[in-house]
Amino acid sequence: MNEPAIYQPEPLLHHRPAPDEALVSSREFLSRMLQRRTVRHFSAEPVADELIENAIRTAASAPSGANQQPWTFVWVRDAELKREIRSAAEAEERRSYEERMSEEWLRALAPLGTDWRKPMLEEAPALIVVFRQAHGLVAEADGETRRIKHYYSEESVGIAVGLLLVSLHLAGLATLTHTPSPMRFLGQLLGRPANERAFVLIPVGYPAADAVVPRIQKKSLAEVLVRR
């Protein structure tokens, strides 16, 4: 069995901007992020590979429980595979809208204008499917595979997805966080191992010229911040 890793500290590399610079940067970032919207209408315009790669590298820099980095990002561009994903997702979504969702849930969704149809899964030039590694698998010298417990994997992957969305938005790209339920079909279609669970499906691209979004309000700072 492998010996446990030992603690090896190194100096922290940290940039602290001047107070005025920090405020300007903070305000600019807030302004950019307040413009972020969930988009359901995509252009077919291709996206430069490096924008996707940089966003995934940013996501993979996220903090994680015991630094186990329990995530896999599958980048889908193949048109036929996107078509298969759309078909499977719509089948699950249709069942949800027609059978699984309560009247209360449907009322909550009504102002967003959503339904079971998901054309964006084909229209967007890229899909990123984020998988959570429920546990790790390590190949041993004797040919056996050892199972490694992962700590706080859901929280860790959630943070990574947040960074992914921010990076894509700041690159001028639009996204949708889609979580069809159940999502087992994604692991099957994408050939992922049994220890991985689909966490979120994200169409990525530029918004269509005629894209619209629902008129919504975000809670104010006073509603979400508690000062003690």
Side-chain angles (χ1 to χ4, degrees):
M1 183 176 292
N2 295 332
E3 292 296 322
I6 59 173
Y7 174 56
Q8 295 180 311
E10 63 183 17
L12 170 68
L13 298 178
H14 175 71
H15 168 67
R16 179 175 175 174
D20 288 349
E21 181 186 351
L23 276 175
V24 169
S25 178
S26 174
R27 289 166 180 163
E28 288 179 349
F29 181 77
L30 172 61
S31 177
R32 292 285 301 277
M33 294 312 300
L34 288 176
Q35 296 170 18
R36 192 207 63 79
R37 294 298 305 270
T38 291
V39 171
R40 292 180 171 83
H41 309 99
F42 288 85
S43 162
E45 181 181 353
V47 174
D49 286 0
E50 188 177 354
L51 295 181
I52 303 292
E53 292 166 356
N54 287 345
I56 292 174
R57 289 182 67 185
T58 298
S61 75
S64 61
N67 192 39
Q68 291 175 318
Q69 304 165 65
W71 41 62
T72 302
F73 303 88
V74 180
W75 176 11
V76 181
R77 292 176 288 184
D78 180 77
E80 180 57 33
L81 187 51
K82 287 194 294 180
R83 189 173 300 114
E84 292 178 13
I85 290 173
R86 175 188 177 180
S87 177
E90 286 186 333
E92 294 294 353
E93 287 289 276
R94 186 166 190 167
R95 285 193 64 193
S96 291
Y97 273 85
E98 295 180 354
E99 303 172 19
R100 297 167 176 153
M101 291 180 177
S102 65
E103 287 300 318
E104 182 180 17
W105 192 349
L106 292 171
R107 284 196 300 272
L109 289 173
L112 302 180
T114 64
D115 61 26
W116 60 267
R117 298 170 183 84
K118 306 299 173 188
M120 72 288 292
L121 299 180
E122 276 192 86
E123 294 167 351
L127 304 178
I128 300 175
V129 186
V130 184
F131 286 87
R132 175 180 68 89
Q133 298 171 8
H135 57 269
L137 298 174
V138 176
E140 299 285 13
D142 59 5
E144 295 295 319
T145 299
R146 180 163 55 93
R147 178 170 169 156
I148 304 292
K149 180 177 175 61
H150 279 170
Y151 302 95
Y152 301 105
S153 62
E154 292 195 20
E155 294 87 346
S156 301
V157 177
I159 295 168
V161 169
L163 292 183
L164 178 66
L165 296 175
V166 169
S167 181
L168 293 167
H169 175 67
L170 294 181
L173 296 167
T175 58
L176 165 75
T177 50
H178 182 42
T179 53
S181 179
M183 291 196 282
R184 287 187 295 273
F185 68 88
L186 288 168
Q188 295 165 358
L189 287 174
L190 298 173
R192 301 314 306 156
N195 67 313
E196 294 188 359
R197 312 281 188 272
F199 189 83
V200 65
L201 167 59
I202 306 175
V204 180
Y206 294 103
D210 58 351
V212 296
V213 293
R215 183 175 287 117
I216 60 174
Q217 293 289 330
K218 294 295 185 180
K219 292 181 179 180
S220 68
L221 185 63
E223 292 175 287
V224 301
L225 173 63
V226 178
R227 302 178 193 267
R228 300 295 297 270

